[in-house]
């Protein structure tokens, strides 16, 4: 395990080239097609992206979109001027060709509009069910949460698609917002997702990425603050099987004072060629006095032949902060844990299952949606069945 | 009536430059109803004996046998040994993040019995076992050994001894690091276990202190990977007075 606190972090001099200060642009022409040598693309298998990183046509979507909306919430697909007006509501400025093309070329936007002051007890569920991985398509989704609202949006991705997607989240002042993005794709899906949030003054934003399926999933989860006092919690849970590439890239831009962020991502890997990438970029700008940030990534490698890349980056331009740190660890099953459990009569398979459930338990508990918890536990269970056999006694696990 | 027989046990561990032999021919027979203390200086191989019997993968048995009622224990997996009736209370109980004590205990009990315990009596049993070792019931919801103090970990081992109620309990330096109150509580737990009459205890300790609370029937002095001397509880008293110097010199 490696852990760094603010004392060990480097204060940037402004002379060192940093990819945490990208110059964005809405002009597609400003973004060349990546070659794979760029810092932000170096982990990604470009050959498997079906040219979504380049100039694949965005064909008419074959993804079925459905939703359940509690009373008071508006969900609609809008076009033309209305759609264009929603581009950038999260402060999103494209940093690469794919996202610039989504913003420029996608004619419609799916808008989820949560009015100010509303408090929802039920989540808003939007399901994107891809019906054809053979076509390349793109989507723009805007999630707008009014001031002092309290709501959760669950974005479920299933079926198969080759999709480039920008999800813009605007969190109003004082709002309490959760966005869960579940990547439960069929095995052949390709998904490039940019999920950007602008967190209002004194607002709370929780983003949860859950990635199980797909051939390549590459998700950016970014946060900026529209004012002081905002808090962001970024959670992630992923399970990577043989041949899969699952990449999560966080960018938390502490651009306002007294803001907080906490990121915890945990992943399990199993099977030949399973590859996970986690990049956690945190920038603490000069104005961001009194902020607090911590990010953690843990990977549990269940078999040989897996690769987990874990890269925390912390760039600090002011020392006047409460705290900043990161931790990253990748390990195998702990033999001592397994021995301890087995010495109490628990079989090897069940001991492994307990340890894996335990590994993910804190993340799953933090999600705090019973339906989702059950779905995640079931997903972990079915992933585990591949390496440790089916579970004869899942009723014992709670 | 059950018997654990250790015969001519030789055990090695992997070290940087090959294998190092730790146990060099251990012979020991423990019958149900008996308490055996194994005492010896640091590095004499006491814990290796405990972990080898339990089946820790770090240790390689190069010669000898371990039989439980005539059945070869060394051919069993770790969990099979537990289900055959062996229990090891560890010197350094392991933390298992994300797994609650209550889930852990229930899973172990279910594995040992082959069926889940009846919920109502089980909760009462767990609470009773915790009360007996003065462990707050809140520990049931905490993760296994995570953030427990040394004494709390040892009490948790005794809770398991009580609930899982094995035929043979091996206690590996359960007394080390305990203050006098905790030592008394832990000893009482072991004595309750013994008082059933047909249980066997192999008590591994560096100090004679715990033997004031748990009277052994036999004392074995362990030096250089084998038993150097055997006797009754009077041997423990002599060790208390004289220490291990005599054996260490002989061994060297």
């Amino acid at each position: 395990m490696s852990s760094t606190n603010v004392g060990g972090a480097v204060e940037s001099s402004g002379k060192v080239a940093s990819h945490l200060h990208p110059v964005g642009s809405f002009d597609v022409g400003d973004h060349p097609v990546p070659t794979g040598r760029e810092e932000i693309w170096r982990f990604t298998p470009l050959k498997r992206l079906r040219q979504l990183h380049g100039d694949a046509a965005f064909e008419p979507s074959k993804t079925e979109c459905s939703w359940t909306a509690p009373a008071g919430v508006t969900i609609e697909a809008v076009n033309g001027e209305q759609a264009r007006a929603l581009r950038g509501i999260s402060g999103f400025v494209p940093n690469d060709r794919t996202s610039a093309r989504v913003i420029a070329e996608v004619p419609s936007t799916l808008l989820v509009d949560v009015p100010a002051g509303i408090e929802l007890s039920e989540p808003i569920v939007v399901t994107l069910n891809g019906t054809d991985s053979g076509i390349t398509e793109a989507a723009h989704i805007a999630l707008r949460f009014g001031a002092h609202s309290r709501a959760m949006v669950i974005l479920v991705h299933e079926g198969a698609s080759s999709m480039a997607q920008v999800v813009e989240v605007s969190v109003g002042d004082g709002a309490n917002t959760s966005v869960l993005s579940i990547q439960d794709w069929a095995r052949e899906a390709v998904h490039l997702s940019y999920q950007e949030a602008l967190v209002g003054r004194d607002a709370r934003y929780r983003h949860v990425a859950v990635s199980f399926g797909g051939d390549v999933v590459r998700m950016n989860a970014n946060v900026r603050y529209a004012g002081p006092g905002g808090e962001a919690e970024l959670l992630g849970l992923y399970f990577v099987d043989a041949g899969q590439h699952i990449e999560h890239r966080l960018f938390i831009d502490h651009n306002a004072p007294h803001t907080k962020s906490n990121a915890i991502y945990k992943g399990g890997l199993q099977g030949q060629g399973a590859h996970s990438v986690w990049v956690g970029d945190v920038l603490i700008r000069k104005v961001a006095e009194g902020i607090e940030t911590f990010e953690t990534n843990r990977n549990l490698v269940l078999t040989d032949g897996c690769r987990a890349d874990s890269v925390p980056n912390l760039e600090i331009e002011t020392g006047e902060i409460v705290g900043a740190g990161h931790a990253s660890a990748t390990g195998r099953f702990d033999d001592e844990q397994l021995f301890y459990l087995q010495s109490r009569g628990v079989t090897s398979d069940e001991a492994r299952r307990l340890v894996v459930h335990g590994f993910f338990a804190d993340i799953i508990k933090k999600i705090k949606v019973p339906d989702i918890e059950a779905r995640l536990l079931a997903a972990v269970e079915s992933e585990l069945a591949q390496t440790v056999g089916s579970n004869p006694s899942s009723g014992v696990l709670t | 009536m059950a018997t654990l027989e250790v015969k001519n046990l030789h055990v090695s561990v992997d070290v940087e430059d090959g294998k190092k032999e730790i146990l060099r021919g251990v012979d020991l027979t423990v019958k149900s109803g008996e308490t055996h203390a194994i005492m010896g200086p640091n590095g004499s191989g006491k814990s290796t004996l405990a972990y080898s019997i339990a089946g820790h993968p770090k240790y390689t048995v190069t010669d000898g046998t371990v039989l439980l009622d005539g059945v070869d224990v060394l051919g069993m997996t770790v969990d099979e040994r537990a289900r055959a009736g062996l229990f090891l209370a560890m010197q350094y109980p392991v933390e298992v993040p994300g797994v609650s004590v209550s889930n852990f205990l229930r899973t172990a009990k279910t594995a040992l019995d082959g069926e889940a315990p009846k919920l109502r009596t089980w909760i009462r049993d767990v609470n009773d076992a915790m009360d007996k070792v003065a462990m707050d019931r809140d520990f049931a919801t905490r993760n296994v050994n995570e953030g427990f103090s040394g004494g709390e970990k040892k009490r948790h081992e005794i809770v398991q001894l009580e609930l899982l109620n094995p035929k043979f309990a091996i206690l590996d330096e359960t007394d080390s690091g305990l203050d006098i109150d905790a030592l008394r509580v832990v000893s009482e737990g072991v004595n309750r276990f013994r008082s059933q009459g047909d249980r066997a205890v192999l008590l591994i300790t560096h100090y004679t202190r715990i033997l004031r609370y748990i009277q052994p029937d036999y004392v074995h002095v362990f030096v250089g990977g084998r038993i150097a001397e055997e006797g009754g509880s009077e041997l423990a008293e002599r060790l208390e007075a004289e220490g291990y110097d005599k054996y260490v010199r002989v061994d060297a």
Side-chain angles (χ1 to χ4, degrees):
Chain A
M1 172 174 153
S2 68
S3 180
T4 311
N5 59 28
V6 62
V10 182
E11 279 200 41
S12 71
S13 62
K15 288 173 193 153
V16 181
S18 164
H19 67 281
L20 301 192
H21 299 270
V23 181
S25 166
F26 286 97
D27 186 345
V28 175
D30 287 343
H31 303 284
V33 176
T35 62
R37 287 187 294 275
E38 300 80 2
E39 175 59 30
I40 61 168
W41 288 103
R42 68 188 177 102
F43 293 110
T44 314
L46 297 183
K47 285 191 180 130
R48 286 153 63 185
L49 296 184
R50 299 181 189 136
Q51 290 300 315
L52 281 175
H53 64 293
D55 289 320
F58 293 154
E59 299 169 70
S61 177
K62 287 203 176 165
T63 293
E64 293 162 358
C65 183
S66 58
W67 55 77
T68 56
V73 175
T74 312
I75 303 182
E76 58 181 337
V78 298
N79 294 292
E81 267 314 305
Q82 238 186 320
R84 268 192 292 281
L86 293 165
R87 308 289 153 102
I89 61 161
S90 65
F92 182 68
V93 182
N95 288 322
D96 65 13
R97 190 171 185 89
T98 305
S99 55
R101 285 188 59 218
V102 172
I103 295 292
E105 295 178 23
V106 176
S108 68
T109 289
L110 181 73
L111 170 66
V112 175
D113 213 358
V114 176
I118 198 170
E119 296 206 2
L120 301 176
S121 52
E122 292 295 310
I124 300 159
V125 181
V126 177
T127 303
L128 302 178
N129 182 18
T131 63
D132 188 353
S133 68
I135 64 152
T136 44
E137 56 177 313
H140 183 258
I141 297 175
L143 310 176
R144 191 161 59 190
F145 299 89
H148 302 289
S149 64
R150 184 188 181 90
M152 170 184 287
V153 171
I154 302 174
L155 204 53
V156 180
H157 301 91
E158 55 192 28
S161 175
S162 301
M163 182 186 286
Q165 175 191 55
V166 174
V167 178
E168 296 201 59
V169 184
S170 166
V171 181
D173 291 350
N176 188 334
T177 300
S178 295
V179 174
L180 274 70
S181 184
I182 299 175
Q183 287 65 249
D184 195 8
W185 291 111
R187 183 62 180 77
E188 66 269 27
V190 174
H191 189 199
L192 298 186
S193 188
Y194 302 80
Q195 307 201 352
E196 180 101 2
L198 185 64
V199 179
R201 186 184 178 110
D202 300 324
R204 272 206 73 189
Y205 172 62
R206 208 157 57 105
H207 181 270
V208 185
V210 178
S211 303
F212 284 92
D215 180 51
V216 179
V217 172
R218 186 181 192 269
M219 146 102 57
N220 291 68
N222 298 347
V223 171
R224 275 190 193 80
Y225 298 87
E231 288 182 27
E233 184 175 40
L234 304 184
L235 304 175
L237 190 165
Y238 48 94
F239 217 115
V240 192
D241 291 329
Q244 275 187 303
H245 176 95
I246 294 188
E247 178 167 350
H248 294 96
R249 311 180 66 92
L250 316 185
F251 178 42
I252 301 166
D253 187 347
H254 278 283
N255 58 340
H258 301 289
T259 50
K260 284 186 186 170
S261 64
N262 185 37
I264 308 175
Y265 269 65
K266 285 191 168 184
L269 295 91
Q270 61 183 4
Q272 197 63 38
H275 188 194
S276 72
V277 177
W278 180 86
V279 178
D281 292 331
V282 177
L283 172 61
I284 302 169
R285 293 186 190 264
K286 244 191 170 62
V287 299
E289 295 191 353
I291 69 99
E292 201 173 344
T293 177
F294 203 92
E295 53 171 353
T296 304
N297 176 228
R298 301 223 181 288
N299 295 295
L300 185 59
V301 176
L302 306 182
T303 68
D304 290 333
C306 308
R307 179 187 168 100
D309 286 297
S310 181
V311 187
N313 291 309
L314 187 55
E315 193 170 311
I316 300 177
E317 295 176 346
T318 174
E320 302 296 314
I321 62 172
V322 176
H326 57 72
S328 165
T330 296
R332 295 188 148 268
F333 269 124
D334 182 333
D335 286 342
E336 297 302 322
Q337 287 178 2
L338 295 178
F339 174 71
Y340 188 66
L341 294 168
Q342 284 184 260
S343 77
R344 298 320 186 227
V346 179
T347 62
S348 159
D349 278 0
E350 191 156 357
R352 283 164 198 274
R353 193 173 293 116
L354 266 179
V355 168
V356 172
H357 273 277
F359 176 75
F360 286 120
D362 57 339
I363 290 277
I364 290 177
K365 271 185 203 146
K366 273 174 181 284
I367 292 170
K368 289 182 201 140
V369 188
D371 289 356
I372 297 295
E373 270 182 39
R375 182 171 180 161
L376 289 183
L377 283 170
V380 169
E381 199 58 58
S382 83
E383 294 281 352
L384 274 175
Q386 298 180 22
T387 26
V388 298
S390 62
N391 179 12
S393 55
S394 58
V396 171
L397 299 163
T398 48
Chain B
M1 188 71 181
T3 308
L4 180 73
E5 289 174 276
V6 179
K7 291 181 192 164
N8 189 35
L9 190 65
H10 288 255
V11 171
S12 296
V13 291
D14 286 329
V15 288
E16 264 175 45
D17 44 353
K19 286 199 178 297
K20 185 185 175 197
E21 187 168 59
I22 309 277
L23 299 187
R24 305 177 194 173
V26 178
D27 291 291
L28 180 69
T29 300
V30 182
K31 295 184 174 135
S32 49
E34 297 176 352
T35 297
H36 292 243
I38 295 201
M39 307 193 61
N42 290 329
S44 59
K46 307 186 296 286
S47 288
T48 299
L49 176 64
Y51 280 87
S52 301
I53 295 172
H56 194 289
K58 181 175 149 193
Y59 301 100
T60 309
V61 174
T62 55
D63 199 4
T65 54
V66 177
L67 303 175
L68 182 59
D69 291 335
V71 179
D72 176 26
V73 167
L74 299 177
M76 299 180 189
T77 61
V78 174
D79 49 298
E80 283 167 351
R81 296 178 200 208
R83 292 199 294 275
L86 291 173
F87 176 86
L88 171 62
M90 295 187 197
Q91 184 180 1
Y92 303 109
V94 180
E95 298 181 4
V96 190
V99 177
S100 71
V101 166
S102 114
N103 187 9
F104 166 65
L105 293 173
R106 196 158 30 109
T107 305
K109 185 70 175 170
T110 304
L112 290 170
D113 291 359
E115 59 177 354
K118 298 262 178 301
L119 200 59
R120 223 156 116 212
T121 50
W122 175 245
I123 290 169
R124 200 183 59 218
D125 291 348
V126 170
N127 284 336
D128 285 352
M130 290 198 163
D131 291 348
K132 281 178 188 160
V133 297
M135 215 175 157
D136 196 301
R137 290 180 182 186
D138 290 350
F139 275 89
T141 62
R142 291 178 52 178
N143 291 338
V144 172
N145 295 321
E146 207 175 53
F148 289 22
S149 71
E152 286 159 355
K153 285 181 181 170
K154 298 298 175 67
R155 286 169 202 242
H156 180 220
E157 296 292 282
I158 299 303
V159 166
Q160 295 169 51
L161 176 69
E162 185 110 25
L163 289 169
L164 305 180
N165 199 13
K167 285 195 274 187
F168 281 84
I170 304 168
L171 310 177
D172 185 23
E173 307 217 8
T174 297
D175 53 330
S176 65
L178 293 185
D179 63 28
I180 199 74
D181 289 335
L183 182 63
R184 192 174 293 131
V185 162
V186 162
S187 301
E188 283 167 8
V190 176
N191 285 331
R192 273 195 303 279
F193 173 75
R194 295 201 312 156
S195 69
Q196 298 172 90
D198 59 349
R199 297 297 191 263
V201 174
L202 192 58
L203 184 71
I204 291 172
T205 181
H206 182 76
Y207 306 102
T208 53
R209 195 174 61 141
I210 194 171
L211 303 182
R212 284 178 224 148
Y213 300 95
I214 304 171
Q215 183 88 39
D217 303 304
Y218 303 94
V219 174
H220 310 266
V221 183
F222 216 73
V223 181
R226 59 167 75 93
I227 290 169
E229 190 171 1
E230 295 176 296
S233 58
E234 77 288 343
L235 181 53
E237 284 153 33
R238 207 183 76 212
L239 285 171
E240 169 136 38
E242 299 174 7
Y244 298 114
D245 283 1
K246 170 182 134 184
Y247 302 103
V248 176
R249 273 202 302 274
V250 168
D251 188 55

